[in-house]
Amino acid sequence: MSVEIDILNGDASWSIAKPLHQAVWGPQMVEKLPWRHVKWANADLRVLIETPDGLVCHVGIYFRTISWNGRNVHVGGIGGVCTREDRRCRGYATMAIDAAVHTMRANEAARFAILFCEPHNFAFYEARKWQPFRGEVYCEQPEGRIRFDYMAPYVLDIVRAPTLGTIDLCGLPW
């Protein structure tokens, strides 16, 4: 089977990713979740995996300077991970995340990667060497700075990832 992996500009490729994103995380799915009201950042880049069946997987890539324990640190982020329901458990998310991490590693300024996930995804990310961040995370929302505790933060070493302390995303979460 032919698999195409593209890494595209985030804003320019949103029109391609949006139908998949809406199918997986549409309003009917999100309305019951505790993070339904969260305003999310737009991806800087997008990993899109396409097969002859069409677009099957998406991962957003984010680059930002955040604050960790009061020190500015450039990081990469992963968010908006979604795979078409009828194409799950075939390795597409792993391929897309690997491509995203490779892209972040190529950005020599990123010190570590960070993502946010729900408990049912903990084992998936831990199996891929992501570690729980056990400190506090803050972010911006339209009403101001908040503690972001709707999802668990996970970090991945690029140079060295912290697992404790305080992170301020210095903007919207992803």
Side-chain angles (χ1 to χ4, degrees):
M1 173 187 287
S2 169
V3 175
E4 296 286 329
I5 301 175
D6 291 316
I7 301 173
L8 303 173
N9 174 282
D11 290 337
S13 63
W14 175 239
S15 63
I16 300 167
K18 186 177 180 181
L20 174 63
H21 198 269
Q22 289 296 314
V24 174
W25 293 112
Q28 73 283 3
M29 302 294 287
V30 174
E31 68 187 9
K32 299 176 187 121
L33 298 172
W35 48 264
R36 67 187 166 275
H37 65 282
V38 172
K39 173 110 172 89
W40 302 97
N42 294 327
D44 296 308
L45 299 171
R46 296 181 192 283
V47 178
L48 302 173
I49 296 188
E50 192 167 347
T51 69
D53 296 326
L55 184 63
V56 297
C57 188
H58 165 273
V59 171
I61 303 174
Y62 305 79
F63 290 106
R64 186 177 302 161
T65 299
I66 66 166
S67 173
W68 172 63
N69 290 342
R71 288 179 250 155
N72 289 341
V73 181
H74 191 67
V75 301
I78 288 181
V81 177
C82 58
T83 302
R84 215 168 82 184
E85 189 171 1
D86 65 339
R87 294 293 178 251
R88 292 184 183 156
C89 298
R90 297 180 188 201
Y92 295 125
T94 297
M95 279 190 280
I97 290 166
D98 287 349
V101 169
H102 180 78
T103 301
M104 287 186 278
R105 288 185 194 282
N107 178 330
E108 296 175 2
R111 308 299 287 171
F112 64 93
I114 185 168
L115 62 78
F116 301 92
C117 69
E118 296 174 300
H120 66 271
N121 288 321
F122 291 176
F124 175 83
Y125 289 109
E126 288 170 3
R128 286 149 186 84
K129 301 192 187 309
W130 290 80
Q131 303 171 66
F133 179 80
R134 302 201 189 281
E136 294 181 347
V137 177
Y138 293 87
C139 70
E140 295 298 321
Q141 285 294 282
E143 67 273 15
R145 184 176 185 257
I146 65 163
R147 181 170 178 193
F148 188 76
D149 55 7
Y150 297 105
M151 292 185 196
Y154 272 72
V155 295
L156 180 74
D157 287 343
I158 291 180
V159 175
R160 184 167 183 265
T163 56
L164 295 170
T166 301
I167 288 177
D168 188 330
L169 297 176
C170 300
L172 298 173
W174 50 82

